[in-house]
Amino acid sequence: LQWLRNPGPQHEKRTLFGDMVCFLFITPLATISGWLCLRGAVDHLHFSSRLEAVGLVALTVALFTIYLFWTLVSFRYHCRLYNEWRQTNQRVILLIPKSANVPSNQQSLLLKRNSKETIV
């Protein structure tokens, strides 16, 4: 979530949201289309030619192959962007050991940290 709040590159965020919207619309459409093609193939096997049934099965395979390819490429692209962002946007806090010279109220201020920060 910190990546989404970061005022960094807006193009990458638009791409992520666009891909999420496409995924939410394309997934049910691909599922319904595949089911209809397979249902038509079964009907054609029972009532008419095998050639049309084979064509519908091939169409279903092509549909799901394209869908899976797009999903994997999109997921891989966004994972790569996230990993690049993680490498360049690290938050590190240096913890200072307790010493007699630092009052306890200042020491507690130094030790407060955000849960997203790395302790060194």
Side-chain angles (χ1 to χ4, degrees):
L1 292 175
Q2 187 177 4
W3 177 77
L4 294 174
R5 285 187 235 139
N6 186 9
Q10 294 296 320
H11 178 275
E12 294 172 358
K13 292 175 192 173
R14 279 192 305 263
T15 305
L16 175 65
F17 288 125
D19 284 348
M20 286 172 43
V21 168
C22 287
F23 181 77
L24 290 175
F25 281 117
I26 291 174
T27 300
L29 289 175
T31 303
I32 291 169
S33 298
W35 181 77
L36 287 172
C37 285
L38 290 177
R39 186 74 187 151
V42 169
D43 289 344
H44 280 292
L45 277 176
H46 290 316
F47 302 116
S48 62
S49 72
R50 288 181 179 251
L51 186 60
E52 291 176 2
V54 170
L56 286 171
V57 170
L59 181 63
T60 304
V61 169
L63 175 72
F64 282 117
T65 301
I66 292 168
Y67 171 76
L68 287 175
F69 178 75
W70 174 79
T71 303
L72 292 174
V73 167
S74 178
F75 183 74
R76 185 172 175 233
Y77 170 75
H78 291 295
C79 286
R80 186 179 53 83
L81 285 181
Y82 175 72
N83 287 332
E84 287 175 7
W85 176 83
R86 250 184 35 183
Q87 290 176 357
T88 58
N89 293 295
Q90 295 180 7
R91 294 181 70 183
V92 177
I93 291 182
L94 180 61
L95 292 179
I96 301 172
K98 288 187 177 183
S99 65
N101 299 340
V102 180
S104 63
N105 62 349
Q106 287 181 350
Q107 187 69 33
S108 65
L109 289 175
L110 290 173
L111 293 177
K112 287 184 181 177
R113 62 180 172 80
N114 189 345
S115 64
K116 298 174 186 158
E117 297 168 339
T118 304
I119 299 174
V120 177

